C-alpha cells in the first residue's frame, strides 16, 4: 500500500501549519481541552496489594448500591455466576477463589455498569447535546445508567423519549429506504454475548450485507490475520495451565497490571514453578515488575513476587529488530552446538519456509538490529542465554505489537521465534494474544466478521434457507471512509463507544454526522451519542450483571475468553429500569420490524429462549456440538484449537516461517514517535477515574510522557503546556493543551492517553493486511504552546 510505504517526512512547521492542510480541530468530537489539576508522584515498582483492594472497594461504595456491590462481588467470574464485562482473561479451570475471582479493574467495570444513578427523559430534557459535548468522557460515563430509549429528531437540540416499537419502526424505515443493504454499517463491541452476536449477524446477513465491522478490527485483527497465515488459526494456542508450566514467558507490548490484572496471578504461579519472565516494552510497568497478591497475606508481607527476570526496554515499534537480533544470536549458538538450540524434528516435520527465513536472517547485522530496537546489548545476550536451552516458551502480546503499520509482521516474527524452538502445540508453550474486551474473540467465532468464510455462509444458508451475501463488507476503517464519502448512510452500533475508539477523531466525527441515522445499543452515556447523524437513537440494554427474564423464563448468555473457553454468564441484579431490553430481544425486535414477512427466521422463538439461539449456533459453527448441555457444565468447555494439537490448518498443512523486513522508523529533527496508551483508571474507552497511579500521574489525562533528555534539548519544562501535531500525506492533525511529563521512555518516543490523542492517528495509517489503526507509531511534533 503506497501510503504505508511512502510516508513523507514532515517538513518544518509553525503553529499555523504553513504549507500544510490542517484537517483536525476540536468540534466537540474530542474530549474538552481543559486541565483538571495534574499531580505527580514516583512511579510504582509493584502492582496490586492493599491499595488495589481499597481502590476497588472505594469505587463500589461510591457508585453502587450497597447490597448490589456485595451481591455482584461474590458471583463475578464464578462458575455459574456472571462473566466480568471487562477483559477476556480466562478463569482457572480448577478451583476458583471464593473470596475474590476478580481484580481491581473488574470491580471498577461492574461499578460502572451497575451504577445506582439512572438517567432518562428528565435528564435529557435538562441537558442539550451542546452542553454535554463540553463534558469529559469521565463526566459523561458517570451520569448514570440509561433508563429508557431516546431519540434525537432532525434539528433537535435534545434527546426525547421514544417507545421501543416506535424506535424499531424508525430504524426499519431508514434501513428499508436505502438503495442497497450495503449502505448500512452494523458495528459490534466486544462485550456482546455469543447469543446476541450470532443473532445480530443473522439479521444483518438476512438483511443483505456483510458490513459487520467490530472492535477486533482496531486491536487484535493483526494477530488473527498473522496467526491464520502462519499456524492456521487466528487464536492463541495456549491454556492457562500452559502458563503455569512454561519455562519462559515473553511478554511483549502489554501492561498486565492495568489491562489484564488477573494475569499477574498466572505469572506468579509460573515463577513459583521455576519459570522465567522476559518483558519487552518501551515503558517499565509496575505490573511487570512485582505482584503483591492481596489474597496471599504471607507473600504480601514479604513484599510480593518479583515477576520480570529480564526487562528489554525498546523503542516504540522496535520489536522486529529485537526479535531478529535474538534469533540471529540463537542461530550462532546453534552453529556451535547443532541440535541443542533449534528443534529440528519440529522444524523438519511441522514447518515450511525455514531456508528462506534463515537466508533473510543471516543478511541482518546485529549492531544495526540493536540500534533499531533500542535494547541494551547485555540484556539481549542475557535473554538469548535464557532461551538457548529452553523450549517451553510462551509469547504473550497485546496492542503494543498489533497497532503498527507492520503489526502483522510483528506477529509473524513472534511465530518465527516459536517455530525455531518448536514451542507451539506442546505443554507450556505457544502463542498467547491477550484479548481486550470480554467476548471479542467469541463474537468473531460466531460470525461477527466483515470477511466471512464461504463455509460459514454455506452453513447459514443450509440452516435458515436464505442466501447470505457473499461480497465482503467494510472493516472499521473502511466503514468510516464509506460514511465519510456518503456511501454508507445508516450506522448501528451494538455496544461500544465508536467515536472514541476509532482513529482520526475529527474525520470519524464528520463520517458519523454525514449519516441519515446513527443508533447505539448502550448501558450508559458516551461521546458517540453526542456526535450523531440526522436522526439518532439511544437504545438502552441490560448489562452483564443483570437478570434477563424472557417469555420462557430466566435466561443466561455465554462468552469465549482469550484461551477459547466458552462458559455461561447469568446476571444477579434486578434490571436498572423496566424499560431495558436484552441485546437478543433488541435484535429480534429490529429484525421483525425490518424484514417482516420476508424473513425465514423465527425471531420470537430466538428471543423467548436463548437455548434456541445456541441450537442454531451448534448447527452453523464447528466446535459447538452439544452446546446447550456443555455450556451448563461448571466452567464451560474448550473450543477445538488445531495449533494446540500441532495440526496446522494452512494450505500446506504446516506452520509457515516468514520473512519480514525491519520497519523503517525515520524521524526528522524535532519529530517523535508517539504511542497511545491506557491509564490505570481506564478500560478501553471507559474512564473510571483520573488517576494513573502506577505511573505516578494523578488527576489528569491530557499529558504527554517524554524522555527527560529530549525535553531538555527541546527546552520543554515539566508540566509545560504543549500541543501535538502529526503530519501525514500532506495533512496536519493537531491536538492542543497537553502537559509535558518527564518519564522513563526511550529517546525520541512519546506516549499519550487514548482516546485524547486519537485525533492524531491518521485514518489511512494502518497495518497492511489487517487494517488495524497504527495508533502505536504516529510521527508527531511537540509544539511549544498548546
Amino acid at each position: 500500500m503506497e501510503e504505508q510505504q511512502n510516508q513523507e517526512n514532515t517538513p518544518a512547521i509553525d503553529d499555523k501549519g504553513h504549507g500544510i492542510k490542517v484537517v483536525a480541530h476540536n468540534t466537540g468530537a474530542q474530549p474538552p481541552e481543559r486541565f483538571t489539576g495534574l499531580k505527580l508522584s514516583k512511579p510504582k515498582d509493584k502492582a496490586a496489594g492493599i491499595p488495589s483492594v481499597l481502590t476497588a472497594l472505594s469505587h463500589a461504595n461510591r457508585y453502587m448500591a450497597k447490597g448490589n456491590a456485595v451481591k455482584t462481588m461474590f458471583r463475578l467470574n464464578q462458575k455459574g455466576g456472571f462473566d466480568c464485562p471487562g477483559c477476556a482473561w480466562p478463569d482457572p479451570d480448577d478451583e476458583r477463589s471464593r473470596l475474590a475471582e476478580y481484580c481491581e479493574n473488574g470491580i471498577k467495570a461492574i461499578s460502572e455498569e451497575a451504577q445506582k444513578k439512572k438517567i432518562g427523559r428528565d435528564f435529557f430534557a435538562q441537558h442539550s447535546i451542546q452542553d454535554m459535548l463540553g463534558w469529559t468522557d469521565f463526566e459523561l460515563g458517570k451520569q448514570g445508567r440509561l433508563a429508557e430509549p431516546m431519540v434525537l429528531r432532525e434539528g433537535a437540540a435534545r434527546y426525547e423519549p421514544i417507545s421501543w416499537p416506535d424506535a424499531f419502526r424508525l430504524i426499519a424505515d431508514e434501513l428499508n429506504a436505502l438503495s442497497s443493504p450495503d449502505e448500512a454499517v452494523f458495528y459490534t463491541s466486544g462485550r456482546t454475548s455469543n447469543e446476541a452476536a450470532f443473532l445480530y449477524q443473522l439479521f444483518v446477513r438476512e438483511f443483505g450485507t456483510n458490513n459487520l465491522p467490530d472492535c477486533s478490527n482496531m486491536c487484535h485483527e493483526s494477530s488473527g490475520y498473522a496467526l491464520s497465515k502462519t499456524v492456521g488459526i487466528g487464536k492463541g494456542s495456549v491454556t492457562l495451565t500452559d502458563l503455569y508450566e512454561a519455562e519462559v514467558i515473553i511478554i511483549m507490548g502489554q501492561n498486565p497490571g492495568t489491562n489484564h490484572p488477573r494475569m499477574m496471578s498466572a505469572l506468579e504461579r509460573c515463577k513459583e514453578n521455576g519459570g522465567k519472565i522476559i518483558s519487552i516494552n518501551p515503558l517499565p510497568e509496575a505490573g511487570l515488575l512485582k505482584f503483591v497478591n492481596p489474597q496471599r497475606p504471607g507473600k504480601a508481607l514479604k513484599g510480593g513476587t518479583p515477576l520480570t527476570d529480564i526487562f528489554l526496554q525498546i523503542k516504540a515499534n522496535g520489536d522486529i529488530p529485537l526479535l531478529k537480533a535474538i534469533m540471529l544470536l540463537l542461530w550462532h549458538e546453534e552453529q556451535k552446538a547443532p541440535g541443542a538450540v533449534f528443534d529440528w524434528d519440529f522444524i523438519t516435520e511441522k514447518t515450511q519456509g525455514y531456508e528462506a527465513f534463515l537466508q533473510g536472517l543471516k543478511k541482518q547485522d546485529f549492531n544495526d538490529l540493536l540500534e533499531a530496537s533500542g535494547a541494551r546489548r547485555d540484556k539481549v545476550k542475557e535473554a538469548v542465554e535464557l532461551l538457548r536451552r529452553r523450549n517451553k516458551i510462551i509469547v504473550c502480546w497485546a496492542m503494543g505489537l498489533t497497532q503498527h503499520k507492520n503489526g502483522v509482521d510483528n506477529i509473524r516474527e513472534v511465530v518465527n521465534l516459536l517455530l525455531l524452538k518448536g514451542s507451539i502445540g506442546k505443554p507450556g508453550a505457544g502463542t498467547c494474544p491477550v484479548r481486550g474486551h470480554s467476548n471479542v474473540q467469541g463474537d468473531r467465532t460466531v460470525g461477527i466478521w466483515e470477511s466471512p468464510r464461504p463455509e460459514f455462509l454455506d452453513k447459514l444458508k443450509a440452516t435458515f434457507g436464505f442466501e447470505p451475501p457473499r461480497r465482503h463488507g467494510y472493516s472499521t476503517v473502511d466503514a468510516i471512509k464509506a460514511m465519510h464519502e456518503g456511501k454508507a448512510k445508516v450506522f448501528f452500533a451494538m455496544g461500544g463507544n465508536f467515536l472514541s475508539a476509532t482513529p482520526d477523531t475529527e474525520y470519524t466525527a464528520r463520517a458519523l454526522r454525514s449519516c441519515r441515522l446513527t443508533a447505539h445499543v448502550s448501558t450508559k452515556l458516551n461521546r458517540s451519542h453526542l456526535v450523531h447523524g440526522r436522526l439518532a437513537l439511544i437504545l438502552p440494554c441490560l448489562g452483564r450483571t443483570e437478570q434477563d427474564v424472557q417469555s420462557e423464563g430466566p435466561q443466561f448468555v455465554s462468552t469465549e475468553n482469550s484461551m477459547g473457553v466458552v462458559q455461561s454468564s447469568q446476571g444477579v441484579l434486578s434490571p436498572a429500569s423496566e424499560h431495558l431490553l436484552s441485546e437478543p430481544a433488541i435484535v429480534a425486535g429490529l429484525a421483525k420490524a425490518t424484514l417482516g414477512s420476508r424473513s425465514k427466521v423465527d425471531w420470537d422463538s430466538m428471543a423467548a429462549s436463548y437455548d434456541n439461539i445456541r441450537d442454531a449456533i451448534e448447527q452453523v459453527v464447528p466446535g459447538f456440538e452439544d452446546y446447550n448441555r456443555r455450556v451448563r457444565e461448571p466452567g464451560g468447555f474448550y473450543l477445538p484449537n488445531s495449533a494446540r494439537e500441532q495440526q496446522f490448518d494452512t494450505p500446506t498443512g504446516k506452520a509457515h516461517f516468514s520473512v519480514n523486513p525491519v520497519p523503517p522508523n525515520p524521524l526528522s529533527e524535532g519529530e517523535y514517535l508517539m504511542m497511545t496508551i491506557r491509564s490505570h483508571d481506564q478500560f478501553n474507552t471507559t474512564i473510571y477515574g483520573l488517576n494513573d497511579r502506577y505511573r505516578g500521574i494523578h488527576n489528569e489525562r491530557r499529558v504527554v510522557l517524554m524522555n527527560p533528555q529530549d525535553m531538555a534539548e527541546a527546552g520543554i519544562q515539566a508540566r509545560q503546556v504543549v500541543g501535538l501535531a502529526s503530519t501525514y500525506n500532506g495533512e496536519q492533525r493537531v491536538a492542543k493543551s497537553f502537559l509535558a511529563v518527564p518519564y522513563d521512555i526511550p529517546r525520541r518516543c512519546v506516549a499519550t492517553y487514548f482516546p485524547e490523542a486519537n485525533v492524531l492517528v491518521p485514518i489511512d495509517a494502518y497495518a497492511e493486511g489487517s487494517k488495524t489503526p497504527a495508533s502505536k507509531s504516529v510521527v508527531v511534533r511537540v509544539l511549544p504552546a498548546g
Side-chain angles (χ1 to χ4, degrees):
M1 298 181 182
E2 185 175 351
E3 73 271 21
Q4 294 177 310
Q5 298 170 353
N6 298 317
Q7 180 176 351
E8 63 186 22
N9 291 325
T10 307
I13 60 173
D14 61 18
D15 60 358
K16 296 180 181 178
H18 287 149
I20 297 172
K21 181 182 178 183
V22 180
V23 297
H25 60 283
N26 200 337
T27 64
Q30 306 169 46
E33 296 161 350
R34 55 181 166 87
F35 301 125
T36 50
L38 173 65
K39 297 179 182 179
L40 297 176
S41 64
K42 184 179 178 181
K44 305 295 184 183
D45 60 3
K46 55 189 175 184
I50 297 302
S52 287
V53 175
L54 295 177
T55 301
L57 293 177
S58 172
H59 275 258
N61 180 63
R62 183 173 183 180
Y63 298 113
M64 297 178 71
K66 297 293 189 296
N68 286 350
V70 174
K71 197 171 185 179
T72 54
M73 285 180 183
F74 289 103
R75 299 302 295 160
L76 179 58
N77 295 323
Q78 296 293 341
K79 295 177 180 178
F82 67 93
D83 193 41
C84 179
C87 81
W89 189 252
D91 306 309
D93 290 335
D94 48 16
E95 284 298 313
R96 301 182 186 178
S97 169
R98 294 182 180 180
L99 175 63
E101 193 58 62
Y102 51 80
C103 65
E104 171 191 341
N105 281 356
I107 295 300
K108 290 177 182 176
I110 64 170
S111 299
E112 187 85 5
E113 178 180 291
Q115 293 183 57
K116 55 190 174 186
K117 291 172 60 179
K118 302 174 181 60
I119 56 176
R121 63 187 67 198
D122 293 341
F123 171 88
F124 287 102
Q126 183 178 355
H127 300 290
S128 70
I129 298 293
Q130 194 59 41
D131 291 339
M132 293 186 286
L133 283 172
W135 297 349
T136 65
D137 290 349
F138 172 63
E139 291 166 335
L140 288 170
K142 293 304 184 185
Q143 295 305 312
R145 276 293 298 276
L146 293 162
E148 59 182 320
M150 306 297 295
V151 62
L152 185 69
R153 307 284 181 184
E154 184 173 4
R158 289 173 170 79
Y159 278 97
E160 62 185 59
I162 186 173
S163 69
W164 279 107
D166 286 348
F168 292 145
R169 278 194 293 270
L170 189 155
I171 300 171
D173 288 345
E174 290 291 336
L175 289 174
N176 288 326
L178 297 173
S179 300
S180 163
D182 289 330
E183 292 182 343
V185 170
F186 297 90
Y187 175 75
T188 310
S189 158
R191 190 204 64 183
T192 308
S193 68
N194 284 350
E195 291 76 9
F198 181 82
L199 210 61
Y200 187 45
Q201 66 79 34
L202 183 64
F203 158 59
V204 171
R205 291 193 164 106
E206 190 174 23
F207 176 64
T209 185
N210 282 315
N211 288 344
L212 282 159
D214 69 338
C215 58
S216 182
N217 294 153
M218 293 181 282
C219 55
H220 271 291
E221 197 70 47
S222 295
S223 301
Y225 186 92
L227 291 173
S228 295
K229 298 291 185 182
T230 54
V231 298
I233 184 171
K235 303 179 182 182
S237 65
V238 302
T239 67
L240 202 52
T241 300
D242 289 323
L243 269 84
Y244 304 155
E245 298 177 359
E247 295 174 311
V248 180
I249 297 176
I250 303 175
I251 302 171
M252 303 185 69
Q254 186 196 358
N255 178 13
T258 288
N259 300 331
H260 311 90
R262 288 195 301 151
M263 180 178 176
M264 293 188 291
S265 297
L267 298 179
E268 179 183 51
R269 193 159 168 180
C270 173
K271 292 300 297 287
E272 291 175 345
N273 289 337
K276 303 293 184 180
I277 296 175
I278 299 173
S279 297
I280 301 169
N281 203 50
L283 300 178
E285 302 285 14
L288 290 172
L289 299 177
K290 183 180 285 188
F291 172 47
V292 182
N293 192 333
Q295 298 196 49
R296 302 179 67 181
K299 298 278 288 188
L301 289 173
K302 295 178 181 179
T305 302
L307 296 180
T308 292
D309 296 281
I310 301 172
F311 174 49
L312 293 166
Q313 187 171 28
I314 62 171
K315 300 174 183 177
N317 204 22
D319 306 277
I320 285 179
L322 173 64
L323 289 168
K324 286 186 182 295
I326 289 172
M327 290 187 290
L328 188 61
L329 291 188
L330 286 173
W331 178 75
H332 283 298
E333 293 297 319
E334 172 67 18
Q335 304 314 296
K336 297 176 189 177
V341 180
F342 290 177
D343 186 336
W344 285 105
D345 288 341
F346 180 86
I347 292 171
T348 302
E349 297 173 11
K350 299 291 185 178
T351 75
Q352 179 177 303
Y354 171 78
E355 292 300 331
F357 158 78
L358 182 61
Q359 184 179 5
L361 184 64
K362 289 163 65 175
K363 292 178 181 178
Q364 302 294 327
D365 178 84
F366 178 75
N367 292 321
D368 291 343
L369 294 173
L370 209 61
E371 172 65 24
S373 73
R376 284 172 42 182
R377 182 184 301 267
D378 60 328
K379 291 294 184 181
V380 173
K381 290 186 174 181
E382 193 178 342
V384 169
E385 182 59 29
L386 191 62
L387 294 169
R388 184 168 62 92
R389 296 191 182 279
R390 293 174 172 85
N391 58 20
K392 294 173 71 173
I393 301 168
I394 292 173
V395 182
C396 304
W397 70 89
M399 288 177 284
L401 260 64
T402 64
Q403 290 184 328
H404 300 275
K405 289 185 178 182
N406 49 280
V408 171
D409 287 350
N410 283 343
I411 311 310
R412 293 197 291 212
E413 205 70 10
V414 166
V415 171
N416 283 339
L417 173 60
L418 293 173
L419 295 183
L420 286 176
K421 301 294 294 179
S423 299
I424 297 182
K426 63 177 61 170
T431 57
C432 184
V434 184
R435 304 280 179 173
H437 221 153
S438 58
N439 198 40
V440 62
Q441 185 162 298
D443 289 348
R444 179 61 57 88
T445 298
V446 300
I448 299 296
W449 194 16
E450 76 278 3
S451 305
R453 290 189 173 91
E455 299 84 359
F456 178 85
L457 298 178
D458 290 343
K459 284 281 191 177
L460 275 185
K461 180 180 179 179
T463 302
F464 293 100
F466 68 87
E467 182 61 59
R470 300 283 168 165
R471 187 172 74 173
H472 286 177
Y474 295 134
S475 67
T476 294
V477 166
D478 292 331
I480 296 169
K481 289 183 176 182
M483 290 187 286
H484 196 275
E485 296 166 5
K487 296 178 181 177
K489 299 177 175 62
V490 171
F491 176 80
F492 188 98
M494 181 61 71
N497 180 358
F498 186 79
L499 175 68
S500 296
T502 48
D504 214 337
T505 309
E506 293 296 339
Y507 184 97
T508 301
R510 291 193 297 273
L512 291 169
R513 286 167 170 156
S514 297
C515 290
R516 290 184 354 200
L517 170 70
T518 52
H520 299 268
V521 176
S522 305
T523 56
K524 56 190 180 61
L525 191 64
N526 66 55
R527 196 162 297 276
S528 295
H529 302 141
L530 312 179
V531 177
H532 52 79
R534 187 182 67 192
L535 288 167
L537 283 162
I538 300 174
L539 307 175
C541 67
L542 294 173
R544 192 76 63 77
T545 56
E546 291 170 317
Q547 297 167 354
D548 182 353
V549 179
Q550 302 299 324
S551 63
E552 293 191 17
Q555 303 298 315
F556 68 87
V557 295
S558 57
T559 59
E560 177 187 347
N561 65 36
S562 272
M563 296 178 182
V565 176
V566 177
Q567 59 189 354
S568 66
S569 177
Q570 189 164 22
V572 296
L573 301 181
S574 298
S577 165
E578 63 181 352
H579 301 296
L580 305 184
L581 293 183
S582 71
E583 289 177 325
I586 292 172
V587 174
L590 179 57
K592 289 171 60 181
T594 304
L595 303 175
S597 60
R598 71 179 186 269
S599 178
K600 297 182 179 295
V601 178
D602 186 347
W603 300 103
D604 287 332
S605 173
M606 295 287 193
S609 172
Y610 301 167
D611 279 356
N612 297 327
I613 305 176
R614 288 185 283 271
D615 285 342
I617 294 174
E618 179 179 336
Q619 295 180 62
V620 174
V621 185
F624 283 88
E625 294 79 12
D626 206 7
Y627 191 178
N628 270 308
R629 181 189 64 79
R630 290 196 294 159
V631 78
R632 284 175 164 85
E633 294 178 355
F637 61 93
Y638 279 91
L639 289 173
N641 189 301
S642 54
R644 193 174 290 160
E645 308 298 327
Q646 290 194 356
Q647 301 297 317
F648 301 111
D649 190 16
T650 64
T652 64
K654 295 187 174 184
H656 290 183
F657 282 95
S658 57
V659 179
N660 306 297
V662 175
N665 292 306
L667 294 173
S668 298
E669 185 177 353
E671 290 182 340
Y672 305 86
L673 199 61
M674 183 193 81
M675 56 182 182
T676 61
I677 59 176
R678 287 190 250 178
S679 83
H680 189 64
D681 259 358
Q682 174 178 3
F683 180 73
N684 293 342
T685 60
T686 300
I687 311 301
Y688 299 135
L690 300 178
N691 297 323
D692 195 359
R693 75 170 189 275
Y694 289 161
R695 298 191 182 108
I697 299 169
H698 308 273
N699 203 43
E700 186 57 74
R701 291 187 54 81
R702 298 194 70 84
V703 296
V704 53
L705 310 189
M706 298 186 68
N707 181 282
Q709 290 178 267
D710 288 338
M711 291 177 67
E713 289 184 3
I716 298 172
Q717 302 297 315
R719 302 173 186 260
Q720 181 176 329
V721 179
V722 298
L724 301 173
S726 69
T727 304
Y728 189 84
N729 288 344
E731 294 182 336
Q732 185 185 82
R733 294 160 174 83
V734 178
K736 297 181 179 181
S737 301
F738 284 77
L739 297 173
V741 173
Y743 206 80
D744 184 0
I745 188 171
R747 297 291 305 272
R748 308 293 295 279
C749 298
V750 299
T752 52
Y753 293 135
F754 140 102
E756 283 81 358
N758 285 4
V759 64
L760 299 169
V761 183
I763 190 69
D764 286 318
Y766 47 73
E768 185 171 358
S770 69
K771 289 195 172 181
T772 299
S775 302
K776 295 287 191 289
S777 50
V778 181
V779 177
V780 300
R781 287 179 177 270
V782 180
L783 306 178

